[in-house]
Amino acid sequence: MSQALPRPAGDGRTAAPRANAVVAVLAFGGIVVSLMQTLVIPIVPELPRLLNAPASDTAWAVTATLLAAAVATPMTGRLGDMYGKRRMLLISLVMLVAGSVTAALSDSLAPMVVGRALQGLASGVIPLGISIMRDELPAERLGSATALMSASLGVGGALGLPAAALIADNFDWHALFWASAGLGVVALVLVPALVPESAVRTGGRFDLVGGVGMAAGLVCLLLAISKGADWGWSSGTTVGLFAAAVVVLLVWGRWELRVREPLVDLRTTARRQVLVTNLASIAVGFAMFAMSLVIPQLLQLPEATGYGLGRSLLVAGLTMAPSGLVMMATAPVSAALSKAKGPKITLMTGALIVAAGYGLNIVLMSELWHFVLVTCVIGAGIGFTYGAMPALIMSAVPASETGAANSLNTLMRSIGTSTASAVAGVILAQMTTAFGQTALPSQDGFKVVLAIGAGAALLAFAVASLIPRQRVAEGRRTGWRPRPLRLSRLSRPLKSSRRLG
């Protein structure tokens, strides 16, 4: 029998000192995993020389991580619900360490791509950590803890860029991966020592056909988005992949609606609160990543262009780093606002702050402090939005489906970031200015991308406004957990214990 019902808020769950340790370890694991996003950025221009391969092939060192993460995130969430969230979190960390060691030992393209793909398989750590928090923490700690865990996705990316640039500038490039392996080992030691295994499980069988179908559909979709600019958006390969993604995902959806124990419960996903939150997450992911694409380039372009600042990659990374600290500092504020007004208001507030940050950047882009200010404002907004989304998801799904639901929400953000990269790439490639014999992205091109980022944030605000209104009092009592099981529902026959809640 599944233990689908959450325990009451005052049941004396994880004591305060232990709760603090659980939150710290899980947040550390989330930051370590999110570091993989920016780990190779400092060496991307050098990869063709380092790996003795064409630039078009070395780009797979980035693409492989993206595709592996998209496939692994929903699957590890579902497996965590079935067989234990901590168990799957540990397996994910093992994949991260194995991938890091493989890449650290590589001097050619194939092992590098394999290593980066293994690192991508660890992406489920953040949604699994949020789900463990829901199962183990007292209600009064849940809001701020999940906000911090969710924000770790952005924190790791922001802090990882200057750290990776520093290592790449002063050590052999293999040290990047040895460092990530070391951090992974630390997380592997801390998790079993300090994080309890959740007793909330669904049991049942894993939907292998659904897993293969979802993986195929997502690979086709994200491969077309990420490589479309290189292959040509109207090329047969790109169009064929988009068409294949539509067909495969439609067939997959039909299968998930018919199978008894689906990989993703589409009926739960179609609930208005879950569906609208996931749609808003795509827009938020787009808005967050636009900053990461524009600001480092503006900082590094030559001053002779009239709009570049001529700074090094390390300085660009250090300029972005405060945004990660702001995201972390915003987590408890986000939780407090969600407790007072509801996570819907928090999500809408964060979206407006992000839009305001992009608006500032359009008019302030001539001094270093301008960019520090802008990244901090956008980081604060992202902290609010990332803190609100897990609360919205978890208050609308059964405790037995938390892992799968949070993983799907994380996937939606990834789709947003991938789309942002593709859109920005097209715009900056088309809107160029001559600089000697080289064509560089123009200042107007950067401003267009910033304006689109602001538009994506405003779209997230508009979509979030459609989320059903919740009673704040109920959220205070339960820590944004699902409503209690109604007695009337007990009289219905259940196909699976997973349906409880």
Side-chain angles (χ1 to χ4, degrees), residues 366-378:
S366 60
E367 301 288 343
L368 191 62
W369 70 266
H370 291 171
F371 292 98
V372 175
L373 172 64
V374 165
T375 57
C376 287
V377 172
I378 295 176

Side-chain angles (χ1 to χ4, degrees), residues 228-243:
D230 296 332
W231 294 337
W233 292 106
S234 60
S235 69
T237 302
T238 304
V239 173
L241 284 171
F242 276 125

Side-chain angles (χ1 to χ4, degrees), residues 306-473:
Y307 52 90
L309 271 65
R311 306 301 178 116
S312 67
L313 178 61
L314 178 58
V315 172
L318 290 172
T319 303
M320 299 286 290
S323 67
L325 301 177
V326 170
M327 288 181 204
M328 190 179 298
T330 304
V333 182
S334 169
L337 181 59
S338 292
K339 184 177 180 180
K341 300 294 184 180
K344 171 183 175 178
I345 299 300
T346 306
L347 178 56
M348 295 171 68
T349 301
L352 287 179
I353 295 173
V354 171
Y358 281 114
L360 279 175
N361 204 182
I362 291 174
V363 298
L364 298 176
M365 55 168 56
S366 60
E367 301 288 343
L368 191 62
W369 70 266
H370 291 171
F371 292 98
V372 175
L373 172 64
V374 165
T375 57
C376 287
V377 172
I378 295 176
I382 295 298
F384 274 92
T385 58
Y386 274 25
M389 286 186 285
L392 287 164
I393 294 295
M394 291 191 295
S395 65
V397 303
S400 58
E401 297 180 17
T402 302
N406 279 322
S407 295
L408 186 63
N409 182 252
T410 301
L411 175 63
M412 293 300 105
R413 300 185 221 176
S414 298
I415 291 175
T417 59
S418 301
T419 305
S421 179
V423 170
V426 170
I427 293 172
L428 297 179
Q430 296 296 319
M431 301 183 68
T432 61
T433 185
F435 183 72
Q437 300 297 316
T438 307
L440 297 177
S442 67
Q443 185 177 33
D444 288 340
F446 287 116
K447 288 185 176 181
V448 168
V449 175
L450 292 172
I452 293 175
L458 292 175
L459 177 61
F461 173 85
V463 172
S465 69
L466 302 177
I467 296 173
R469 190 174 184 85
Q470 292 178 307
R471 293 177 296 174
V472 176

Side-chain angles (χ1 to χ4, degrees), residues 51 153 157 169 231 250 316 342 408 462 470:
L51 301 177
L153 182 62
D169 285 346
W231 294 337
L250 285 174
L408 186 63
Q470 292 178 307

